[in-house]
Amino acid sequence: MSRYIFTRALLVLPTLLAVAVLIFLLMRVVPGDIVELRLVLGGSYVTPGVIAAERARLGLDRPLWDQFLHYLVGLARLDLGLSMWSGAPVAHEIGLRLALSLQLAVMATLIAVALAVPLGTLAAVYRGSWIDQAVQLFSVAGLSIPSFWLGILLILFLLSVFNYLPPLIFTPLLVDPKANLAQLIWPALAVGYRYSAVTTRMTRSALLEVLREDYVRTAWAKGLRRTVIVRRHALRNALLPVVTVIGLEFAFLIGGLVVTEQVFNLNGIGKLTVEAIAQRDYTLIQGLMLVVAAGYILANFVVDVLYAWLDPRITYG
Amino acid sequence: MRKVALAVLLAVLLAAPGVAQQPRRGGTLTYIVTALPPSFDGHRETTFAMLHPVKPHYNYLVKFDTQNYPKVVGDLAESWTASNDGRTYTFKIRRGVKFHDGSTLTSRDIKATFDKIIFPKEGVVSARQVIYQSVQRIEAPDPQTVIFRLRFAAPSFVEKLASPFNFVYKADILERDPTFYERNIMGTGPFKFVEYVRGSHWVGRRNDDYFKSGLPYLDGYRALFISSRSAMMAALKSGQALIEFRGVSPAERDDLVSTLGDKIAVQSQPWNCNLIVAFNTRKKPFDDVRFRRALTLAVDRWGGSAALSKIAFLGPVGAVMRPGSEFAMPESELVKLAGYGRDITAARQEARRLLREAGVPEGFTFTLKNRSVAMPYEPAGVFLVDQWRQVGLNVQHVQQETAKYLADQRAGDYDASVDFACDFMDDPDVQLAKFVSADVSPLNYGGYVDRQLDALYFRQSRTANKAERLRLVHQFERRLLDERAYAMYVLWWQRIIPYWKTLQGYKTTTNHYVEPDMEAYWLSQ
């Protein structure tokens, strides 16, 4: 196990480096310039000299290889650089938003798992019954309705029925849990519902497969109770693919809540990514992509470890 | 009976227009800003996204009176005089004005501020340096006097000084670090800085040492950064924000009015913003004046105004100077310009004739590049495509993300492009600057060189006689839009500002730069 963890950890560095190279080059081929956006967008008359001086100040006039080298040296020192838009350290900008996105992703995951595992199990156990039909309807609706749309509906409902809108300014959980939950519960529900739909279907189909296995039949033959068979024998094995889906969805949520964050005006990583790309804030985009990539790598890693815990037959070596 | 009579009298008195409510102190005004400030430095930025949250921390030498725009009043200047030849302006500075750090403001701070704007040191960005070409030097002979010495008399010099971007900074700080104000706040304004959380909010609280007695009325303000239109509307409907100072679409206004009823008021004004179409004169057939004239003749501005004003914040028909402004071309002259006549059928016949003459075949295809911003760019683009289709042209509407759109305009990578201009004043020096030759103005995306236009621009800029200046300005407009048709104006914008009636003292102006004037706003509850 420790050897596996060590090998995986060694792979993280080249993966992150590849992401850094890719993002650096991709951003440089995308047309548009942060200096023009800042100085000319308001429609004002700014001389070419002023624009050139600003480009030089930001180092954008230097050869590409020089800029890349500078970036790599920074990364080696664990320095993500300064945001070209705000001048603040990129790590600080991301840190401010990461807490919100992580909390929202965790809340959505908890909601999804809390709904999906029991519903998926019920649907599989009572296959073909009205329970199964109802769960199928629930999950198909969840897959069909985008989270942002559900979010808009939730906001409209709260506004028109209760004249209530969740607070617009983020309060950290440790500062005021009530205000924090009042703000995040609605987007977490919107995202969690769609997420649960995917996971419910996966739980149902995985469990159906396991319930056909010989060892389950043996358990039935031994006269074990249904709850024992499902909980102890079938569900544990059926959860393997479910855990994979949960892990990947969670990793996606860290950077993928773009539209939901816009709808609920949440100051998270997704909204920051959209801003950074629209502003051509190269350093911030690079930092964000590294964080999102690290999130994916970490989530995959956790999934692999969970695999081993759920199924002792899986060995590492 | 006496009670009824008294009640009637009271009702009449309360309803009488002359009976205004007395300003009330206290409360926090929460409003929306729909974009993020790039930095906090007014001298280098060009966007309302910086002005709206940052402006309440600062004062100006002189400023626009938002209640009587475009009247200029003293702010830190108690008074000023101009010499007979219009080349020397002497400002007397108020005594006892304190910066938020407790230090006293003197003429040295004013001089340092305008030196930074007009004569920036190397490495310091000044976005408005170019509009002060008339200024030779600035002097501060004593702590209460500032003198601007000009190379030539400039008719709207004081209005230019009143730019809402000209925050007065502290000389000692600028001397130490000219970029200090990009990341920090230190002014004399009615509100002190409390906090800024990027992407979330900006907070200011009342400056209790403010030099204007009794002001400000508010305890503080909170600007919420909300870029999503649906989130903005929800915030306004729920009362979590009372106003957004830039403007909403007619549909958004109707939605708010139907939801909030008499809790909301709406003010509307012609806006000093417009949509233009730049023609790339470096490309065929856009290098042919007949083709460009045909394009402008085909557009029914009057009909478009009536239709588009219902769905977009577009409306007034005008040339280069804002319709309704003191510089605007009278309608009797305006209708003589290509594309401004009332008979659109005749105009389109003429357009077809010109297209034939220019050798442009029926069904000729070109691209109209546009910004992928819904309001008002998208409806304007769709409108133009339809108008040009009616003279047999086939136009592809390409909507681009803002950075790419700007890059293509500046690189000349387009056929025709929806362009725009927004500013804080109607002065021709500002409004016409975009259209002088490409080797003079970096904002001339059409790529043409026309020394006649340049000469007209510089002559009007130095002409003190108002009637003569107007004549030159209109001559410039005729050459630009009619004789040479280098570009065309589509429609000007119409500002629509809905706000909760609890906000008092607010009056819209023709632009979203001089607002918000938080100094005299107050909340009735």
Side-chain angles (χ1 to χ4, degrees), chain A residues 30-48 50-51 53-54 57-58 83-88 93 96-97 152 155-156 159-160 163-170 259 261-267 271-272 274-281 284, chain B residues 36-39 44-47 123-131 133 165 182-183 197-201 222 224-228 230-231 233-238 240-241 263 371 401-408 410 420-423 433-434 436 440-443 445 513:
Chain A
V30 173
D33 187 321
I34 184 169
V35 178
E36 284 176 0
L37 275 170
R38 284 187 64 163
L39 295 178
V40 186
L41 188 57
S44 286
Y45 181 108
V46 181
T47 61
V50 169
I51 291 173
E54 187 64 357
R57 189 181 73 84
L58 292 172
S83 158
M84 288 182 171
W85 187 262
S86 71
E93 294 274 22
L96 283 175
R97 316 277 188 109
I152 291 173
I155 287 177
L156 289 177
L159 259 178
S160 59
N163 194 26
Y164 172 79
L165 183 72
L168 290 168
I169 294 178
F170 177 65
V259 188
E261 286 179 7
Q262 294 280 351
V263 169
F264 286 91
N265 198 47
L266 296 173
N267 207 21
K271 196 172 158 199
L272 185 64
V274 173
E275 287 163 12
I277 292 170
Q279 293 158 352
R280 298 293 190 272
D281 191 340
L284 186 54
Chain B
L36 297 183
S39 85
R44 63 163 291 150
E45 303 306 340
T46 60
T47 170
V124 175
V125 174
S126 169
R128 272 154 293 276
Q129 181 184 6
V130 76
I131 67 171
Q133 282 171 343
F165 293 93
E182 290 178 17
R183 310 276 156 248
V197 178
R198 178 174 160 161
S200 174
H201 60 276
R222 180 178 288 119
L224 302 175
F225 296 101
I226 301 180
S227 54
S228 147
S230 63
M233 291 294 285
L236 286 170
K237 283 180 186 174
S238 68
Q240 285 202 44
K263 287 182 191 155
R371 198 175 163 190
E401 179 253 343
T402 299
K404 167 81 172 132
Y405 156 87
L406 275 180
D408 280 4
R410 293 180 75 80
F420 68 99
C422 273
D423 230 304
K434 191 180 186 72
V436 292
V440 180
S441 169
L443 289 181
Y445 302 127
Y513 297 111

Side-chain angles (χ1 to χ4, degrees), chain B residues 320-321 327 329 333 337 432 450 452-453 455-457 459-460 467-484:
Chain B
V320 183
M321 301 309 299
F327 300 99
M329 189 180 272
E333 276 189 62
L337 300 181
L432 305 183
D450 188 321
Q452 270 194 51
L453 278 180
L456 283 168
Y457 178 78
R459 269 172 63 200
Q460 69 75 30
E468 174 59 8
R469 193 177 185 212
L470 267 181
R471 194 186 66 75
L472 293 167
V473 168
H474 295 163
Q475 207 177 324
F476 184 103
E477 288 177 294
R478 271 192 295 276
R479 182 160 181 83
L480 175 79
L481 303 177
D482 184 85
E483 292 160 22
R484 303 299 301 162

Side-chain angles (χ1 to χ4, degrees), chain B residues 32-198:
Chain B
I32 294 165
V33 182
T34 54
L36 297 183
S39 85
F40 314 157
D41 186 353
H43 304 173
R44 63 163 291 150
E45 303 306 340
T46 60
T47 170
F48 74 96
M50 179 281 305
L51 278 176
H52 287 190
V54 178
K55 189 176 179 285
H57 300 301
Y58 292 100
N59 285 106
Y60 302 90
L61 176 63
V62 288
K63 67 174 188 177
F64 288 105
D65 176 0
T66 51
Q67 298 295 318
N68 302 286
Y69 182 87
K71 186 182 168 194
V72 173
V73 293
D75 196 20
L76 293 170
E78 211 161 45
S79 62
W80 66 90
T81 54
S83 63
N84 286 338
D85 64 358
R87 291 180 52 193
T88 306
Y89 284 82
T90 307
F91 292 86
K92 285 291 169 193
I93 310 302
R94 287 177 195 266
R95 288 174 192 276
V97 177
K98 301 274 188 200
F99 280 101
H100 294 164
D101 64 357
S103 58
T104 303
L105 173 130
T106 69
S107 59
R108 200 174 138 250
D109 300 302
I110 311 281
K111 174 176 157 50
T113 292
F114 281 98
D115 275 342
K116 176 171 177 276
I117 295 168
I118 303 171
F119 312 111
K121 288 179 188 167
E122 205 181 320
V124 175
V125 174
S126 169
R128 272 154 293 276
Q129 181 184 6
V130 76
I131 67 171
Y132 300 105
Q133 282 171 343
S134 60
V135 180
Q136 190 165 36
R137 66 177 185 277
I138 306 162
E139 296 163 9
D142 65 63
Q144 257 57 57
T145 309
V146 174
I147 302 170
F148 287 81
R149 298 202 186 276
L150 311 190
R151 289 190 186 88
F152 53 86
S156 23
F157 177 65
V158 176
E159 282 81 359
K160 286 178 192 166
L161 289 184
S163 161
F165 293 93
N166 289 354
F167 303 150
V168 170
Y169 293 154
K170 188 170 159 168
D172 287 345
I173 293 177
L174 290 180
E175 216 166 85
R176 212 169 51 236
D177 177 9
T179 62
F180 171 88
Y181 283 98
E182 290 178 17
R183 310 276 156 248
N184 303 279
I185 302 289
M186 175 48 63
T188 57
F191 293 90
K192 290 185 177 179
F193 175 73
V194 175
E195 73 166 346
Y196 169 51
V197 178
R198 178 174 160 161

